[in-house]
Amino acid sequence: MVKYITKYLDCVNPLSLQEYMDKGGFAGLYNVLASQPKQVVDIVIKAGLTGRGGACFPTGRKWEAVSQQLDSQKYVICNADEGEPGTFKDKKLLQNCPFQILEGMVISAYAVGATRGIIYVRGEYSQEAELLKEASCILRKANLLGNCILQTKFSFDIEVYTGAGAYICGEETALLESIEGKRGIPRLKPPFPGEVGLWGHPTLINNVETLCNVPLIFELGAEKYLNYGSKAYPGTKLISLSGAVTNPGIYEVPFGAPLSEIIFSLGKISNKEVIKFVQLGGLSGACFSPNRIDEIYMEPNLLREIGLTLGSGAVYVASNEVDIKHYLNAAMHFFMHESCGRCAPCREGSRHIAAITKSMKEGKITAKEQADLDIISQVMKDTAACGLGQTATTSLRSLMELFSEEFVEVVEA
Amino acid sequence: MKQINLTINNQLVVAEPGETILQAAKRIGIAIPTLCNREDLITKGNCRVCSVEVEGEARLMAACETSVIDGMRVHTDSKRVLTARKTIVEMLLSAHNRECTCCEKTKACQLQKIADDLEILDERYPLVYIEDFRKEYNALLVREPDKCIKCGRCVDVCSYMQYTYALGMLGRGYNTCADFSKKDDIDASGCIGCGKCAEACPTGAIYPNKHLTSLWLAIDDPNKFVVMYMLREAPFDLGDTAGLKEEISLPINKAIGFFKDIGIDVVLDATRAVCLCAKQREEEFYTIQESDDGEIPLLTSDNPSVFRFLEKHKNKLRGQLSMTPTPMQLMGTYIKTYYSQKLGLEPENIITVAITDDLSNKLEVDRPVTEKSMDIVLFNDEIPVLVAQTMVDLNTIKPKEFDQIFMQIPESNNKKSNIIVFNDPEEVCAWITLSTEGNDN
C-alpha cells in the first residue's frame, strides 16, 4: 500500500482550506498557472496518467484532443456517478478531499481552455454533493474559482449536478444527456464528447480519481508519479476491497501490485479455503477461482491478456457460503433493472436472462433455458450498444464456466 | 475526396468517406435488415438487427452506425451474425403481441417480414408483453403499445421532423414504450395530428384509423347522399391486394367507375377548390390590408396539421393565421352548403368522403375548423383494402368521368399579396428563424 493520491484522505476537516494548503494543496495550481496550457497537457501526457473510471484511456490524449478544438465554449465534467456495485473509492474521495477534486478540475479546465465545469454526482451521494457545493463556495471566496483565478486572465466556475439514480448515467454520453435534461441513454459514438459533448460543445469528462491525481502531478512533478506502477501504466490505483475479508476498504496500490497482497495482506485473511471466487472490476467484471489469485497482478495489460479487466478497481471476495445461483440472480436482476431500454439486445436479453436465473435460483431450469443463457449472453456481448449490455453477462459466463458442475445439477434431465 | 475500398461478403465495394456499412451494402444489392433505421432520420442504432461482423473487431458492429474504413472486411451472413440477428428478432417478438392475423399492419409489418425471412416459426422466448391494449384516440390515430418494439422512429419524426415533441420514450428498461408526452393524453401533448408517426411505425404499434366502416354505413343508408372528392390525376396503387402476383394500379377513370359501382352517388374533382382557396386567401389578405386590422404576411397551409402546429406551438403567430380553410376543407364546405342547396338536400344528409394522400386530413372529421365539412377521410392506402373488400373483378369496371360541379371562382384583381403557404412545420421554423434574423439586422 502506498500513499500518493490518498495523501489528503486524513485531513481532519475536509472543508478546511488552510489544512489542505498546509499539506501542499494548490501548489500544483500555482505551478500550472505559471505555464502555458500546452505545457500542462504535455506534462500529463509525459506522466502517462490514465483514466480511472474503468476504460484506462490515456488522460493526456483526451486533454490534448479537447484543447485542440476551436470552439469558444468548452466544458469539463467530473464524473462522480460512481454506480458500479462493489466500487466505493470515489465516495471516499468526495467525502474527504473535495478541494483535491476541484483543484484537478481547475487545472484540467486551464489546460483545455474550458470556462465551465460540472460535477455530476451520483443521486445517492447527496451529502457529498452538499460538501462539494460548500467547498466550491470556499474556493470562490479565496479567488481559486470564479472570475480571474489568482489574478490571472483565466476564469472558470463549477456547478454541482446530481443524478437521479440511474446506473447507466455513469456512461459518459448518457451522463451528458442527463445533464441536458433528457433521458439518460447513451449517444452514438463517434462523435466523441471531446468533439461534440455537452450542448454540442467540446467536453472533457474525467473520473473523480483521475482528477485527484492531477494536482499531485503538478505539485510533485511527473517524475514522482512515474516512480509508481508499471511502464505502461504508471501511478497508483485505488482498490475497493469488499466481501469475505477481515479488513474491507479502500487501498491505494501501485499499478501492477499482486492481487494476493491486496486480498491476504491488506484484506487480512489467511487462507484461500474460505474463498469461493473473486470478482474483479465490479459486478460487470469476470469471476475467477481463488487458485488463480497468485498469478494476478493489478495491471490493465496483464489482466487483459488473461481475459480480465481492472475496471474501476473493485475487488469482491466471495466466501464459501455464497450461493452462486442467488448471486447470479441478484446480479442479473440488477442489470435488467438498470438497462436503459434503448437497444433491443440489452433491453430484452437482460429480462430473459433474469427470468432464467430466477428459476435457476428456485431450483430447476430446462436444457433449453440453459442453451438460451448461452446464446443470449453471447448476443448481448456481441451486439449491445454500450458497455452495460456488453458486460452485463460477463459474470454469468465466467461463473457458469467455473462452477459448471453446480449448474448441471439445476438442469432438468 | 479519397475513395474507400472495402469488401462486403468478399465482394469489392468502393465507398465514399462518411458512408455507413449499411449504405455501402445497399448499393451493391445487399439489403442488411434493419428495424429502426430510415434514411431520412438520424441514425440511432436502437434495434441492432443490422449487426454485422467486421474482421478485426471483437464485437459485432451495427451497420447503420459504423462508417466504412479503407480495407475493412465485412461479413453480413456469417453464422455469428445470423445467430445474433435471429436471437434479437426472437427476443423482440417475445415482447410483441403476435396477433398477426388480426393486426392492422399485417403484410405491411416490417417485424413480420424479418421474422418470415429468418424463418422464425416458434415462440422461442416466453411472451412477456405488458398488456393487451388498444386505444383509438381520434379519427386519425390508433395505438397498440403491446406491439411497440421501441425502435424510436415515431419519436424521431415527431420531434426532429415535425418539431412537436408530442411523442417520447417513456419508462426505462423493458418498460420503455413510445407514448404521448403527457402519458396517454394525446390532446394535452403537442400532437398536431400530422400522422407522420403512423407512417413511420414499422409494426402495428401506432397506425392510422381506417374510415371504411363508416363509408359502408353511409353507402348502405338510403337517406344519405354520398359525395366523394379527391385531388387526383395519377392512378391508385393497389399493390398485390387484388390477388395478382405483380403490383397493379387502378387508373383514375376506372377508379371513378369503381366508386360509383359500390354506391357512391357523386364523385367530384377537387382541383378547382385549390384555385378557389387561393382566391379566397387573396381576398382575405386584401381585406386585412385595407382595414389595417391584423398582421401580415398572412400565414397559411394546404395541410391542416400545419395550421394546428401554428396554433399549438407558435402561439405568437396566431394573429397572422389565415381564416381560409385548406382546399380539402373548402371543398367539403362547398358541398355541404352550395351543392346541397342545388340538390335540395339537408347538409346532414350529405356525407362527404375525401380521398387524400395526407393523413393529417383525417383529424378534420373530429376537429373541423368551422362547421363540419368532412365526414369520412380515406387515405390512399385504404383504397386497395376497399377494392379487396368488394371482391370486384377490376377488368369488368367501366371507366367513368368526374361529375361536373359548378364552382364560381372570383376574378383575380392582380394586386400584389403577401401570403406564405407552408408545407410542413420545418418550413414554419425556418421562416421564423429567417424573419427574426432579419429583425436583428
Side-chain angles (χ1 to χ4, degrees):
Chain A
M1 191 177 166
V2 293
K3 213 173 177 76
Y4 183 69
I5 76 160
T6 49
K7 181 173 134 180
Y8 300 103
L9 269 189
D10 43 10
C11 281
V12 182
N13 177 4
L15 286 176
S16 164
L17 186 57
Q18 194 58 49
E19 192 181 354
Y20 178 70
M21 286 173 110
D22 286 347
K23 284 186 174 235
F26 286 105
L29 182 63
Y30 278 97
N31 292 339
V32 163
L33 291 177
S35 44
Q36 292 299 313
K38 178 146 193 336
Q39 294 171 307
V40 179
V41 174
D42 287 342
I43 291 173
V44 176
I45 293 175
K46 192 179 146 207
L49 178 64
T50 51
R52 303 291 200 256
C56 301
F57 187 81
T59 307
R61 296 276 162 233
K62 219 175 187 178
W63 287 26
E64 192 180 31
V66 180
S67 68
Q68 284 165 355
Q69 297 291 318
L70 298 172
D71 203 318
S72 59
Q73 175 73 68
K74 293 178 194 175
Y75 294 96
V76 297
I77 292 176
C78 168
N79 183 350
D81 189 58
E82 181 184 50
E84 186 66 42
T87 312
F88 38 88
K89 60 177 180 75
D90 292 346
K91 187 182 171 82
K92 188 91 176 163
L93 293 170
L94 290 163
Q95 278 172 341
N96 292 283
C97 26
F99 292 134
Q100 193 181 354
I101 301 165
L102 295 170
E103 187 185 349
M105 281 184 80
V106 177
I107 295 174
S108 68
Y110 180 76
V112 302
T115 51
R116 283 187 66 193
I118 293 172
I119 309 183
Y120 187 91
V121 188
R122 178 180 173 173
E124 288 85 342
Y125 290 179
S126 52
Q127 287 178 339
E128 287 78 2
E130 288 307 313
L131 196 75
L132 282 169
K133 282 179 196 164
E134 283 177 43
S136 44
C137 280
I138 295 170
L139 290 192
R140 242 171 250 133
K141 277 177 197 152
N143 191 220
L144 289 159
L145 205 59
N147 282 335
C148 302
I149 293 174
L150 297 173
Q151 284 82 48
T152 61
K153 281 179 186 166
F154 170 58
S155 299
F156 173 71
D157 211 340
I158 287 174
E159 297 170 55
V160 178
Y161 192 99
T162 326
Y167 171 71
I168 187 67
C169 289
E171 201 278 344
E172 55 182 13
T173 56
L175 183 150
L176 295 177
E177 292 282 295
S178 168
I179 295 177
E180 290 182 7
K182 300 179 190 149
R183 280 166 68 76
I185 55 173
R187 293 180 183 172
L188 285 187
K189 285 194 264 188
F192 290 92
E195 298 157 350
V196 182
L198 189 64
W199 311 112
H201 297 289
T203 305
L204 176 73
I205 306 172
N206 282 132
N207 175 262
V208 173
E209 190 189 338
T210 318
L211 288 170
C212 280
N213 276 291
V214 173
L216 293 154
I217 291 176
F218 291 97
E219 181 197 334
L220 308 170
E223 288 72 24
K224 171 93 172 153
Y225 179 84
L226 285 160
N227 283 345
Y228 297 104
S230 67
K231 200 162 188 304
Y233 290 93
T236 65
K237 180 82 193 86
L238 291 185
I239 301 294
S240 314
L241 179 63
S242 65
V245 288
T246 318
N247 260 0
I250 311 283
Y251 298 102
E252 184 177 14
V253 298
F255 276 112
L259 180 63
S260 54
E261 190 192 303
I262 294 166
I263 294 179
F264 300 117
S265 323
L266 300 173
K268 299 248 174 353
I269 44 169
S270 48
N271 71 60
K272 279 179 194 157
E273 306 305 312
V274 298
I275 305 175
K276 191 157 191 173
F277 64 87
V278 179
Q279 189 169 24
L280 211 58
L283 204 56
S284 53
C287 306
F288 52 89
S289 142
N291 298 329
R292 288 176 67 191
I293 290 175
D294 290 332
E295 58 186 77
I296 289 167
Y297 295 88
M298 308 301 270
E299 210 268 351
N301 281 343
L302 296 175
L303 288 169
R304 210 169 293 137
E305 278 169 22
I306 52 172
L308 298 173
T309 49
L310 181 58
S312 55
V315 177
Y316 170 70
V317 181
S319 90
N320 263 329
E321 287 157 23
V322 170
D323 184 325
I324 300 290
K325 286 161 262 172
H326 281 71
Y327 184 79
L328 270 184
N329 184 45
M332 294 306 125
H333 274 79
F334 172 81
F335 288 114
M336 174 183 79
H337 180 71
E338 294 298 347
S339 169
C340 73
R342 188 195 127 196
C343 76
C346 175
R347 179 183 68 235
E348 305 300 340
S350 62
R351 165 165 60 180
H352 287 295
I353 285 194
I356 299 172
T357 52
K358 185 160 180 270
S359 15
M360 193 196 278
K361 186 192 89 177
E362 284 158 3
K364 286 274 172 239
I365 60 167
T366 62
K368 177 196 165 277
E369 285 173 324
Q370 192 194 21
D372 287 351
L373 280 185
D374 273 342
I375 296 173
I376 299 176
S377 60
Q378 186 60 43
V379 169
M380 279 173 76
K381 186 187 169 206
D382 274 349
T383 64
C386 79
L388 193 157
Q390 288 158 16
T391 58
T393 53
T394 312
S395 56
L396 175 79
R397 275 176 287 123
S398 59
L399 283 175
M400 278 190 1
E401 201 177 305
L402 200 55
F403 299 97
S404 47
E405 67 284 359
E406 279 194 42
F407 287 99
V408 172
E409 283 170 27
V410 293
V411 179
E412 278 171 356
Chain B
M1 231 193 274
K2 195 176 170 286
Q3 279 183 329
I4 288 172
N5 295 302
L6 69 154
T7 68
I8 301 176
N9 299 346
N10 302 319
Q11 209 177 323
L12 207 70
V13 192
V14 181
E16 301 290 323
E19 247 186 336
T20 63
I21 298 178
L22 189 72
Q23 290 164 336
K26 194 180 171 189
R27 232 170 343 92
I28 57 159
I30 297 174
I32 301 171
T34 164
L35 284 168
C36 66
N37 191 270
R38 211 177 81 172
E39 270 176 19
D40 55 344
L41 295 177
I42 47 163
T43 305
K44 303 171 298 284
N46 286 356
C47 73
R48 318 304 284 183
V49 171
C50 67
S51 294
V52 294
E53 201 167 342
V54 177
E55 280 181 28
E57 293 285 345
R59 300 186 307 106
L60 299 181
M61 311 296 280
C64 68
E65 62 174 39
T66 310
S67 301
V68 288
I69 298 171
D70 205 47
M72 201 180 220
R73 298 176 67 82
V74 181
H75 299 278
T76 70
D77 53 3
S78 68
K79 187 166 179 293
R80 190 169 160 214
V81 171
L82 290 177
T83 311
R85 190 179 298 159
K86 193 169 178 183
T87 307
I88 294 169
V89 175
E90 281 172 334
M91 290 198 295
L92 282 173
L93 286 168
S94 78
H96 178 82
N97 192 345
R98 289 172 81 170
E99 46 165 31
C100 294
T101 53
C102 40
C103 179
E104 283 277 346
K105 248 331 197 353
T106 194
K107 289 186 198 162
C109 171
Q110 293 177 31
L111 182 64
Q112 191 182 26
K113 185 175 181 302
I114 288 187
D116 275 351
D117 292 350
L118 293 168
E119 284 188 279
I120 297 172
L121 303 170
D122 55 347
E123 290 176 2
R124 171 147 190 132
Y125 301 110
L127 274 176
V128 273
Y129 61 81
I130 308 150
E131 56 182 323
D132 204 337
F133 180 99
R134 181 182 187 277
K135 185 162 176 181
E136 208 175 304
Y137 290 93
N138 46 38
L140 173 65
L141 288 177
V142 187
R143 206 172 130 255
E144 293 189 41
D146 54 356
K147 289 178 186 161
C148 176
I149 56 164
K150 293 96 179 169
C151 68
R153 277 197 205 177
C154 56
V155 176
D156 281 5
V157 287
C158 190
S159 309
Y160 308 120
M161 281 175 81
Q162 299 301 101
Y163 301 95
T164 54
Y165 300 90
L167 278 167
M169 280 292 178
L170 262 62
R172 118 174 168 186
Y174 61 86
N175 284 318
T176 306
C177 192
D179 201 339
F180 292 100
S181 49
K182 297 279 161 63
K183 196 170 168 75
D184 215 28
D185 189 345
I186 192 168
D187 288 317
S189 76
C191 179
I192 57 165
C194 61
K196 296 282 182 216
C197 50
E199 285 176 5
C201 183
T203 71
I206 187 158
Y207 52 87
N209 208 338
K210 286 203 166 83
H211 294 184
L212 291 176
T213 319
S214 355
L215 178 69
W216 287 120
L217 279 175
I219 289 173
D220 289 345
D221 191 336
N223 297 322
K224 302 283 187 206
F225 191 78
V226 186
V227 182
M228 182 182 262
Y229 62 99
M230 62 190 94
L231 271 170
R232 208 167 177 91
E233 278 149 21
F236 286 99
D237 184 9
L238 293 183
D240 59 354
T241 28
L244 298 166
K245 278 279 183 284
E246 67 271 28
E247 300 227 327
I248 57 158
S249 59
L250 186 60
I252 191 69
N253 288 353
K254 277 221 167 194
I256 298 169
F258 166 75
F259 292 134
K260 293 228 166 173
D261 281 1
I262 61 168
I264 310 267
D265 297 292
V266 173
V267 182
L268 299 174
D269 186 358
T271 319
R272 283 179 74 81
V274 179
C275 309
L276 184 68
C277 181
K279 289 287 178 299
Q280 274 207 15
R281 282 173 187 161
E282 276 182 24
E283 291 296 318
E284 191 188 350
F285 176 78
Y286 301 141
T287 322
I288 292 170
Q289 203 180 31
E290 279 158 26
S291 65
D292 274 341
D293 171 32
E295 299 161 63
I296 49 172
L298 195 62
L299 306 180
T300 187
S301 173
D302 290 346
N303 182 327
S305 71
V306 180
F307 269 97
R308 290 178 215 123
F309 179 74
L310 285 159
E311 281 171 356
K312 234 173 171 168
H313 294 270
K314 304 289 166 199
N315 228 320
K316 280 183 186 163
L317 299 175
R318 252 190 147 136
Q320 282 167 268
L321 205 52
S322 161
M323 299 295 284
T324 313
T326 66
M328 291 309 257
Q329 291 162 337
L330 201 63
M331 188 72 188
T333 318
Y334 199 77
I335 293 164
K336 292 257 180 176
T337 52
Y338 173 78
Y339 197 56
S340 74
Q341 277 174 18
K342 216 179 141 199
L343 292 165
L345 288 169
E346 289 300 314
E348 55 266 29
N349 283 335
I350 291 186
I351 300 289
T352 55
V353 182
I355 297 182
T356 151
D357 54 1
D358 194 320
L359 277 173
S360 63
N361 283 306
K362 280 197 178 256
L363 203 53
E364 290 310 302
V365 174
D366 283 354
R367 290 183 216 170
V369 179
T370 49
E371 68 272 29
K372 188 163 170 130
S373 57
M374 294 162 89
D375 294 310
I376 294 168
V377 179
L378 299 183
F379 187 52
N380 284 344
D381 279 8
E382 285 168 83
I383 306 305
V385 185
L386 190 66
V387 172
Q389 283 177 354
T390 54
M391 290 180 284
V392 291
D393 181 357
L394 293 175
N395 296 315
T396 63
I397 294 172
K398 289 196 179 65
K400 285 192 178 128
E401 295 295 320
F402 278 118
D403 290 287
Q404 292 303 313
I405 180 172
F406 175 73
M407 198 178 260
Q408 194 183 11
I409 295 167
E411 289 284 308
S412 176
N413 49 11
N414 292 322
K415 273 193 277 180
K416 212 178 150 202
S417 58
N418 192 357
I419 303 170
I420 297 171
V421 184
F422 296 114
N423 287 318
D424 51 39
E426 193 172 351
E427 287 186 6
V428 177
C429 295
W431 180 78
I432 292 172
T433 321
L434 210 67
S435 51
T436 44
E437 272 174 12
N439 288 347
D440 290 344
N441 298 336

